[in-house]
Amino acid sequence: MALYSEKVMDHFRNPRNVGVIEDADGVGEVGNAKCGDIMKMYLKIEDETITDVKFETFGCGSAIASSSMATEMIKGKPVAEAMQLTNKAVAEALDGLPDYKMHCSVLAEEAIRSAIEDYERKKRGEPSLTVKENVESEDN
Ligand code: FES
């Protein structure tokens, strides 16, 4: 039996929405301390709807497939709905992930949440934590 579903292989080989949104309304970056994989999510939001989303994943194939699928699932959706997206729903949309790869889909859920939180912070006029993190990492 194949370890990975056809959908996982498709999104891994041919990921959707890869890249950067320069003038993003929300940016989220998360990492998994155990495997060291990192995912960055960019959101463009108009009238509380996600009009565009792009991601960069420095990680395993399941993380790439999960972020690709997750971006497709939230594009065009209201922010409140995207906030509810679970890693389980992403894994199901991919026709499943092996148990020991479920944490890869958690990265996608967390990256989206962190990007939405960044957007909410900006709306309140608070500084973007993500930008601060970037400045720090550029110094190193
Ligand atoms: Fe870490 Fe997949 S092995 S995200």
Side-chain angles (χ1 to χ4, degrees):
M1 204 187 83
L3 192 51
Y4 293 107
S5 73
E6 263 171 49
K7 273 194 193 157
V8 173
M9 291 313 293
D10 176 33
H11 279 263
F12 165 60
R13 290 204 182 101
N14 189 8
R16 318 328 187 239
N17 306 310
V18 175
V20 174
I21 300 177
E22 294 293 348
D23 58 343
D25 298 302
V27 182
E29 185 174 334
V30 294
N32 181 295
K34 268 197 195 147
C35 63
D37 292 350
I38 296 169
M39 195 181 291
K40 201 162 177 180
M41 200 62 75
Y42 302 82
L43 300 177
K44 197 80 200 139
I45 297 170
E46 271 166 53
D47 296 330
E48 295 301 307
T49 296
I50 296 171
T51 54
D52 199 12
V53 45
K54 293 221 182 312
F55 79 90
E56 294 175 303
T57 294
F58 306 96
C60 74
S62 298
I64 293 169
S66 295
S67 28
S68 169
M69 179 54 90
T71 57
E72 294 248 281
M73 291 170 85
I74 62 165
K75 207 174 190 173
K77 295 275 161 56
V79 171
E81 205 175 302
M83 198 68 181
Q84 306 293 324
L85 183 73
T86 63
N87 78 294
K88 244 184 116 218
V90 174
E92 270 165 27
L94 287 168
D95 290 338
L97 284 169
D99 277 351
Y100 68 101
K101 284 284 175 183
M102 279 305 279
H103 80 270
C104 316
S105 61
V106 172
L107 270 190
E109 173 191 319
E110 287 179 346
I112 288 170
R113 229 162 257 185
S114 142
I116 293 174
E117 277 160 13
D118 181 51
Y119 162 72
E120 302 286 354
R121 265 194 303 274
K122 278 190 199 156
K123 258 201 333 197
R124 291 195 298 264
E126 292 167 20
S128 164
L129 297 180
T130 314
V131 169
K132 209 174 108 219
E133 277 163 19
N134 284 348
V135 171
E136 277 168 7
S137 62
E138 270 163 28
D139 286 342
N140 296 335

